[in-house]
Amino acid sequence: MPHSVDFMYDFSSPNAFLAHKVLPDLISRRSADLRNVPILLSIVFKATNNQSPFQAFAENRQKSAYLTHDLHRFARRRGISFHMSPHFPLNTKFAMRGAVFAMGKPWESKYIDAIFDAIWVHGQKIDDLNVLSDVLQENGLPIRKIREAISSADIKQKLKEQTKAAVRSGVFGVPSMFVGPEMFFGKNSLGNLDLELSLDK
């Protein structure tokens, strides 16, 4: 049986965006299965008394500058188009509800790619529902169904439940990747994830 990787993400994280861009090749090379698990980072932070590193080190100019440099270096060395969002930090609750609705559907990957790229490549303000709708239309995604799902009580509840389950499993931020109970946090843990997937079960 192949390894299975749970990728826990929120569109609001530039590190999750970069991990998302690298994971498909890693997963393919290791013949593993990938399951995308949308969670709300704001709720994770509140539940774990955590915060964004850009907030935590806002008064440390050297650390803040390094964090930004590290993002761009990671992207550049892997040929990933990346721009820091001019709207950072974003409220991604609408987009994340859409991601929950997309789970298991044939267009799930297309939706995730479209939203991540809208924020971290094109600098679009996807917490504006009109902008979000434009992104969906441009990518041939089912706008009406997604907009309805965003307001659905069931979708809202599922997103909350997935987030709470992530916290119970030890998640304190994103990206967080799981192989069974083993957690790998952050884009810079992808090397260790790769090693884990190379091991025989």
Side-chain angles (χ1 to χ4, degrees):
M1 296 240 348
H3 283 285
S4 181
V5 178
D6 284 351
F7 173 60
M8 300 192 178
Y9 71 97
D10 186 316
F11 293 121
S12 66
S13 166
N15 287 293
F17 165 75
L18 293 172
H20 164 72
K21 290 295 185 180
V22 172
L23 265 175
D25 179 63
L26 189 159
I27 292 292
S28 177
R29 283 191 291 102
R30 296 302 183 186
S31 300
D33 294 323
L34 177 65
R35 187 172 80 103
N36 295 297
V37 184
I39 61 176
L40 269 181
L41 188 56
S42 58
I43 293 179
V44 171
F45 281 164
K46 185 174 181 179
T48 60
N49 195 30
N50 195 12
Q51 59 183 324
S52 159
F54 285 98
Q55 292 176 303
F57 300 106
E59 296 182 9
N60 185 327
R61 287 184 296 174
Q62 291 92 337
K63 185 66 177 280
S64 296
Y66 177 80
L67 291 171
T68 302
H69 172 72
D70 184 55
L71 289 169
H72 287 281
R73 177 176 57 194
F74 185 98
R76 184 175 61 253
R77 293 190 173 171
R78 291 162 179 80
I80 300 169
S81 180
F82 167 75
H83 305 283
M84 197 66 189
S85 170
H87 309 294
F88 183 77
L90 284 132
N91 182 336
T92 55
K93 65 181 181 182
F94 298 134
M96 297 312 299
R97 290 175 193 167
V100 170
F101 179 63
M103 291 178 75
K105 295 184 171 59
W107 44 267
E108 178 184 11
S109 293
K110 190 175 186 181
Y111 177 87
I112 296 171
D113 285 337
I115 303 300
F116 264 134
D117 285 356
I119 299 170
W120 301 109
V121 177
H122 307 299
Q124 292 172 278
K125 194 174 188 297
I126 55 84
D127 49 4
D128 181 327
L129 278 172
N130 291 324
V131 174
L132 179 59
S133 293
D134 288 343
V135 171
L136 299 178
Q137 184 173 24
E138 289 165 7
N139 287 274
L141 291 159
I143 302 173
R144 183 180 60 80
K145 290 182 178 179
I146 294 172
R147 285 290 299 260
E148 288 174 357
I150 284 172
S151 302
S152 162
D154 288 344
I155 292 295
K156 293 177 185 178
Q157 185 60 30
K158 186 173 180 181
L159 179 57
K160 288 179 182 177
E161 289 173 358
Q162 287 183 181
T163 304
K164 290 177 181 178
V167 170
R168 288 195 299 270
S169 68
V171 169
F172 52 85
V174 298
S176 289
M177 288 77 68
F178 281 84
V179 179
E182 199 72 26
M183 184 174 81
F184 301 85
F185 170 72
K187 69 182 187 307
N188 294 325
S189 71
L190 287 168
N192 284 331
L193 173 64
D194 189 24
L195 288 173
E196 182 76 12
L197 295 178
S198 72
L199 301 174
D200 293 330
K201 285 191 173 181

